[in-house]
Amino acid sequence: QKEVEQDPGPLSVPEGAIVSLNCTYSNSAFQYFMWYRQYSRKGPELLMYTYSSGNKEDGRFTAQVDKSSKYISLFIRDSQPSDSATYLCAMREGAQKLVFGQGTRLTINP
Amino acid sequence: SAVISQKPSRDICQRGTSLTIQCQVDSQVTMMFWYRQQPGQSLTLIATANQGSEATYESGFVIDKFPISRPNLTFSTLTVSNMSPEDSSIYLCSVEGGGETQYFGPGTRLLVL
C-alpha cells in the first residue's frame, strides 16, 4: 500500500463547477499537508499549505485536512479553464521528506 | 518564494552517455533536493544536497549513477550517468520554503534513446 493515495483521474468538469480533489494517507504522523499545481511542461507550484487539521481558504481554493480519517481535500470554486492542470497532494512528518500523491489531472471545459 | 532555474530545460541523449543538470536559486538556501518524475507518476526524491557535505541518497538511488555537487548556497548539479532509456524522465530541483514546504524549479525533460 502506498503511503499516499490519489486518484489520477483524469477529471473533466464544466467551467464554473466546484471541483473536489482528494488524497488519503496511511501515516498518522504526517503533520504538514500541501497541494501543488503543475501545468503541462512546468514544475510544481505550491498552491496551499496546511499544518495539522482544519480548513484553509485562499480565494477560490479551500484546503481541508481530516486527520481522524487520514483524508485531505482541495476544493476549487467557480472553476476556470486556467485551473486545468495536474494537482499533487504532498505531506510530511516533521523534517522528514515530502511524500507525494500520484497527481490528479484536471480539465475545466469552457 | 525562491526563484529557481534549471538548465537544460530539455535534452535528448544517447544511451551510455551522461548529462549534467544545473539548478540555480536566487537566494541562499541550506538544503536543495533533486526529484525524478516519470511519465504519469508522482515525484520521487533522489537525494538531498547540503552545501559543504556529501549528498544523502534515498533508497534505490546511488552516487555512482546520480552524482551531485553543491559548491555553494545557490547552486547544485545532478549528473545522470551511463544513461539508459529507463532514465527518461523529468528531473526537478527544489529548495526549502517556509513552514516545511518546498519550491520547485521548472524541471529538465530528459529523453534517452
Side-chain angles (χ1 to χ4, degrees):
Chain A
Q1 182 190 7
K2 293 181 182 177
E3 269 193 295
V4 179
E5 298 276 0
Q6 183 177 8
D7 186 341
L11 180 62
S12 182
V13 301
E15 184 176 355
I18 297 174
V19 176
S20 173
L21 304 167
N22 311 294
C23 290
T24 59
Y25 62 94
S26 57
N27 185 351
S28 58
F30 284 142
Q31 302 167 285
Y32 302 94
F33 303 91
M34 284 145 262
W35 286 95
Y36 286 85
R37 178 174 62 194
Q38 185 173 24
Y39 289 115
S40 180
R41 304 187 180 281
K42 301 287 187 184
E45 167 196 11
L46 181 64
L47 196 58
M48 298 287 285
Y49 161 67
T50 309
Y51 171 69
S52 195
S53 284
N55 292 0
K56 185 173 183 178
E57 188 173 322
D58 184 2
R60 296 184 294 109
F61 299 89
T62 300
Q64 198 171 76
V65 174
D66 182 347
K67 291 193 75 177
S68 62
S69 301
K70 299 191 185 72
Y71 188 87
I72 70 170
S73 300
L74 177 70
F75 298 96
I76 306 174
R77 291 184 301 280
D78 187 25
S79 55
Q80 304 294 311
S82 58
D83 296 326
S84 299
T86 296
Y87 290 80
L88 297 138
C89 63
M91 46 200 81
R92 71 192 296 182
E93 172 190 352
Q96 300 298 314
K97 67 178 182 180
L98 269 180
V99 181
F100 284 85
Q102 188 176 348
T104 300
R105 187 174 175 183
L106 173 67
T107 300
I108 309 297
N109 300 303
Chain B
S1 63
V3 176
I4 304 169
S5 60
Q6 286 185 234
K7 289 181 181 179
S9 58
R10 58 172 55 204
D11 209 340
I12 300 173
C13 300
Q14 295 299 318
R15 179 195 300 260
T17 62
S18 298
L19 176 72
T20 295
I21 302 167
Q22 299 178 7
C23 179
Q24 179 77 51
V25 191
D26 68 342
S27 58
Q28 293 185 338
V29 293
T30 303
M31 297 174 73
M32 296 179 76
F33 306 88
W34 287 98
Y35 287 82
R36 182 172 72 182
Q37 186 177 26
Q38 294 181 307
Q41 300 297 315
S42 184
L43 279 71
T44 301
L45 181 64
I46 298 171
T48 302
N50 287 336
Q51 193 269 335
S53 63
E54 292 282 335
T56 303
Y57 289 83
E58 295 297 309
S59 175
F61 298 96
V62 295
I63 187 171
D64 290 345
K65 176 67 176 177
F66 297 101
I68 288 171
S69 77
R70 182 78 203 274
N72 57 52
L73 291 172
T74 63
F75 187 79
S76 179
T77 67
L78 169 77
T79 298
V80 187
S81 303
N82 188 25
M83 289 183 286
S84 67
E86 292 71 34
D87 294 319
S88 297
S89 188
I90 300 171
Y91 292 87
L92 295 149
C93 71
S94 75
V95 303
E96 290 279 7
E100 308 297 342
T101 60
Q102 288 182 17
Y103 296 105
F104 285 83
T108 295
R109 282 151 185 80
L110 172 62
L111 176 63
V112 183
L113 301 177

